[in-house]
Amino acid sequence: MPRIVDADLIALVAALLEKVGSAPAEAKQVATDLVAANLKGHDSHGVQLVPRYVLNTEAGEINPNATVSRAFGEGAIGVFDGHMGFGQSTGRQVTAWAIETAKANGMAMLGIRNTHHLGRIGAYAEQAAAAGLISFFFVNAVSGVPVVAPFGGADGRMGTNPVCIGIPKGDAPLILDFATSAIAVGKVKVAYNAGKQVPPGALITHLGEPSTDPAVIYGGGPRGALGPFGAHKGYGLALICEILGGVLTGGGSNPPADTARKAIVNGMFGFVVDPARLGSLPAFAAGVEDICRYVQDSAFGHVLLPGDPERRSAHRRHDDGIPLDDVTWGDLVATAERLGVPVPAVTEGVA
Ligand SMILES: NC(=O)c1ccc[n+]([C@@H]2O[C@H](COP(=O)([O-])OP(=O)(O)OC[C@H]3O[C@@H](n4cnc5c(N)ncnc54)[C@H](O)[C@@H]3O)[C@@H](O)[C@H]2O)c1
């Protein structure tokens, strides 16, 4: 399994995105966010997406260098059109607006529609937390035939629809960020690429039978579906994401009008809140520390806080290099060769 230094991977991805028309600053930012997902352990939302982003850009499904515009709302309320730009850029632009707005008004209410894939949603919660702000995001994902079955159903009707909440806490914010499917669909792809099974309970076949085989989604045969996490609870949240992220923002909910379209389209609804406007900031910060310490003092002392696994992974992978499965690396190399971009050195053979 190749292992690559994060700075080299950012440079490679940025060069690929520049080849399809992204300006250097945007290409570097999108590349940095994709590699950050790998650093934080979420390979599903990292560079394995790059060949698809490149193809989608070449096909006119992504508009490089798009600037968001307010489509609806005024004051502290804004629904933004992403003009099908790179979602990592759209998300950063709208979160920056929300931070500035929440600092001025106490809160901002945001919607995003018509953007390509927003990637790892925790990036925006981290952006808000770094400014001392609480954030909530509800996202729907519309991309081809829906892949997540509702609780009690047997075929895909919704996207993997992530929910994300961020709470500032010194330099280690709480970032709760997860797909409402049993696992992220990108993790099914990563497992398929690596020839691995996924955990029991994650998948059903096209006949509605439980399966751990990622070929149920990616094998090319009759397509199965992902289940929701947490049975009826995850299903309920996924449905709410369709309504808030898709219907309320005007971005649209599943199914897409054209299931053959290759773009990954996200809709996002969220709030960014300044805790200083709801009471004493020192009391809030102390209370967050107290409850977190109390929870972590539970027997055995192995309790992590949301955001801890990602911080640990980022330190480790920054020091040791980012491991990429052979299919992901092979696809990146093939894309680089096709576009005439030099490929950096990797360390081979490390599991
Ligand atoms: N843009 C999209 O359309 C889209 C769709 C789906 C998912 N995603 C992204 O995929 C990523 C992965 O989602 P996922 O569902 O695979 O995440 P996951 O199941 O790995 O859960 C991650 C969350 O759980 C926390 N966590 C993990 N282990 C923990 C522990 N032991 N103790 C405390 N907290 C713990 C993490 O800090 C994080 O907040 C997310 O970043 C999400 O935003 C994006």
Side-chain angles (χ1 to χ4, degrees), residues 173-189:
L174 302 182
I175 304 292
L176 179 62
D177 172 29
F178 55 81
T180 48
S181 48
I183 59 174
V185 70
K187 287 184 176 159
V188 183
K189 180 77 189 313

Side-chain angles (χ1 to χ4, degrees), residues 42 45 117-122 141 160 162 175-179 184 187 266 304-307 309-310:
H42 293 293
H45 288 71
H117 193 224
L118 289 159
R120 183 182 156 264
I121 306 304
T160 50
I175 304 292
L176 179 62
D177 172 29
F178 55 81
K187 287 184 176 159
N266 278 142
L304 299 177
L305 298 173
E310 286 76 15

Side-chain angles (χ1 to χ4, degrees), residues 119-141:
R120 183 182 156 264
I121 306 304
Y124 314 115
E126 288 163 357
Q127 190 180 346
L133 302 174
I134 298 169
S135 58
F136 309 76
F137 301 105
F138 300 86
V139 180
N140 83 325

